[in-house]
Amino acid sequence: MSHYILITGYRQQLAKAIYQLGIPFSVVTEKPLKTRPPGVDEVLISPFSQISKASDAVDLNLKNTPTHVIAGTEAGVFPAAVLRRIYAARRSSKTLLIRCTDKMAMKKYLRKHDIPMGGFVTHHKGLTAAELVAQLGLPVVVKDRKNSGGRNVVVAATAEALQPLLAPQRLYEQFITAVEGSIESFVEDGKIIFTNLTEYHTNKVANIVPAGFAADETARLQALNAKVIKALNIKWGLTHLEYYRHAGGELFGEVALRPPGGYIMELIKRAYDFDPWQVFVQVELGLPIKNLPADAARFCGTVLLHPGAGTVTSITPPDNSDYPTLTKANIKVKPGDQISPRHGVGEDVGYCIFSAEKYTALRQDMDKMCNNSPIEIKPVE
């Protein structure tokens, strides 16, 4: 059977992997691309909100009917599901889609399946801040049910601060004092064929692959991940599950059925010596996959650079004399540039990648980088 892929939500690495596999593809995106991807047939511009609302048809004027629709970004997940249905392309169930994108549906369902997690309350008519504080304590974490990457997350420290945040389509969670992390898994025919534990060295800033945890903690987190995937009946795809390393036991945060952000895919490639983007495409298409490594060959880490909103005053390019494990530095701004506030994990003005045989060497350099940003700014007054 010949394949034709439609990408919703452009990711350069995804388009490159499809091109290298020799599979024809098109891209639908909300904004024009700066450069045209090699091998692409068409680049179509369409608001994802219009696609997500489509019932029976959507007028993209595609020259070729896709056999598969792959979401490259979080924003592309819902439109991808709609287009899979319209074009009769390979798809997961609507129920699974909802449970992997709607935090309320996800948590209510998984709590019934005895997945350990913090307390939460869903919005309802007449809900008050006092009621939330009584159930969750303070502070309270307020999230949009269908956002990810830390967007629109607010931590309310008082009932007075919480009250104006109450609104439909919001979820309210107990504040958990614990370090977060994530687990990435490839699933094929209902079986996990690869698992990586990512350590959030500094939440929303720095990640380490694989996590430098003790064997017993690693086993418990892998068991939690497997239990969630089984409960959701995920048959194929790439999962990204976030967890808490709580003193009372590991806790589930949330799970998504899509590639992770934070350059985690690049870290997996460097640590395990295979291209996770190509495997992602193969899993999505149901193509055969060779045995994937169970263990990493090295530790790899990334530090995202975003010094806050302001004007760039100076840049000190990092090098191996200061950071022996540094393997790549990409700074996207120059003196005089304006930096906007950061609203999500996917927003940065540069990043540095580290690689080492020993976890301690990697950790030392990343600690140093997190405390000494190479980008200096004059903050917005």
Side-chain angles (χ1 to χ4, degrees):
M1 175 184 178
S2 60
H3 300 290
Y4 193 92
I5 297 173
L6 178 62
I7 300 175
T8 60
Y10 179 67
R11 290 283 281 270
Q12 180 182 2
Q13 303 93 331
L14 174 58
K16 180 179 178 181
I18 294 171
Y19 174 60
Q20 290 176 338
L21 288 168
I23 301 171
F25 70 100
S26 292
V27 176
V28 58
T29 176
E30 293 189 286
K31 298 179 181 179
L33 304 182
K34 293 181 180 179
T35 58
R36 188 177 179 87
V40 70
D41 287 344
E42 298 179 89
V43 177
L44 305 113
I45 312 299
S46 177
F48 285 170
S49 58
Q50 291 185 9
I51 298 175
S52 296
K53 294 176 182 177
S55 55
D56 298 318
V58 60
D59 187 18
L60 291 179
N61 292 316
L62 283 172
K63 297 176 182 177
N64 298 285
T65 300
T67 59
H68 295 79
V69 182
I70 300 179
T73 63
E74 188 272 336
V77 171
F78 258 99
V82 172
L83 293 171
R84 288 185 190 116
R85 173 175 50 78
I86 290 173
Y87 293 116
R90 188 188 191 198
R91 55 181 172 166
S92 297
S93 70
K94 183 177 180 180
T95 301
L96 176 60
L97 172 70
I98 293 172
R99 288 172 181 164
C100 287
T101 54
D102 184 335
K103 293 178 175 61
M104 181 197 74
M106 176 194 305
K107 295 205 167 192
K108 289 176 72 173
Y109 177 80
L110 290 176
R111 185 162 63 180
K112 292 179 181 178
H113 284 73
D114 299 321
I115 301 299
M117 65 183 74
F120 66 93
V121 175
T122 57
H123 191 86
H124 59 80
K125 187 176 180 180
L127 180 67
T128 66
E131 180 182 346
L132 286 173
V133 173
Q135 294 187 58
L136 302 174
L138 285 172
V140 173
V141 181
V142 182
K143 297 180 178 180
D144 289 344
R145 283 168 49 180
K146 295 183 180 181
N147 267 341
S148 67
R151 295 176 183 84
N152 298 332
V153 175
V154 180
V155 179
T158 66
E160 291 74 20
L162 178 59
Q163 187 62 44
L165 299 175
L166 306 188
Q169 300 304 313
R170 285 197 171 155
L171 181 72
Y172 313 97
E173 296 181 352
Q174 173 189 8
F175 183 85
I176 299 175
T177 305
V179 176
E180 297 178 54
S182 69
I183 307 176
E184 291 70 44
S185 296
F186 284 114
V187 182
E188 182 182 43
D189 296 329
K191 297 181 180 179
I192 298 173
I193 60 173
F194 171 82
T195 298
N196 164 72
L197 264 68
T198 297
E199 177 181 350
Y200 290 178
H201 170 285
T202 304
N203 201 26
K204 299 181 176 61
V205 173
N207 303 316
I208 296 175
V209 168
F213 302 157
D216 57 342
E217 183 177 9
T218 296
R220 292 195 302 270
L221 286 167
Q222 289 176 335
L224 173 63
N225 179 62
K227 187 174 181 180
V228 170
I229 289 173
K230 182 178 180 180
L232 290 170
N233 196 30
I234 295 173
K235 295 300 184 183
W236 53 274
L238 169 57
T239 61
H240 171 63
L241 180 148
E242 294 192 327
Y243 59 82
Y244 293 95
R245 302 174 66 195
H246 192 263
E250 292 75 18
L251 298 176
F252 169 80
E254 56 190 67
V255 65
L257 196 56
R258 58 170 175 78
Y263 302 96
I264 291 174
M265 293 288 272
E266 183 166 351
L267 296 184
I268 290 174
K269 180 178 181 179
R270 290 171 178 267
Y272 292 90
D273 291 330
F274 76 91
D275 187 348
W277 286 106
Q278 287 199 2
V279 174
F280 173 52
V281 175
Q282 291 170 315
V283 166
E284 288 284 316
L285 271 59
L287 299 176
I289 299 169
K290 296 180 181 179
N291 291 334
L292 298 175
D295 300 311
R298 62 194 62 84
F299 292 97
C300 296
T302 184
V303 175
L304 306 185
L305 304 176
H306 196 294
T311 304
V312 179
T313 57
S314 66
I315 294 174
T316 306
D319 57 37
N320 291 112
S321 63
D322 289 325
Y323 302 95
T325 67
L326 180 68
T327 60
K328 181 179 180 179
N330 185 348
I331 297 178
K332 307 172 186 177
V333 292
K334 60 184 183 301
D337 286 351
Q338 300 294 317
I339 298 178
S340 301
R342 191 182 191 210
H343 299 294
V345 176
E347 299 174 5
D348 64 70
V349 295
Y351 63 95
C352 293
I353 291 181
F354 304 82
S355 178
E357 298 296 321
K358 294 184 177 180
Y359 173 84
T360 52
L362 183 87
R363 179 87 194 202
Q364 182 177 347
D365 279 357
M366 292 181 65
D367 289 346
K368 183 178 179 181
M369 174 69 72
C370 287
N371 291 317
N372 299 276
S373 175
I375 302 172
E376 296 290 335
I377 64 166
K378 179 182 179 182
V380 175
E381 296 181 357

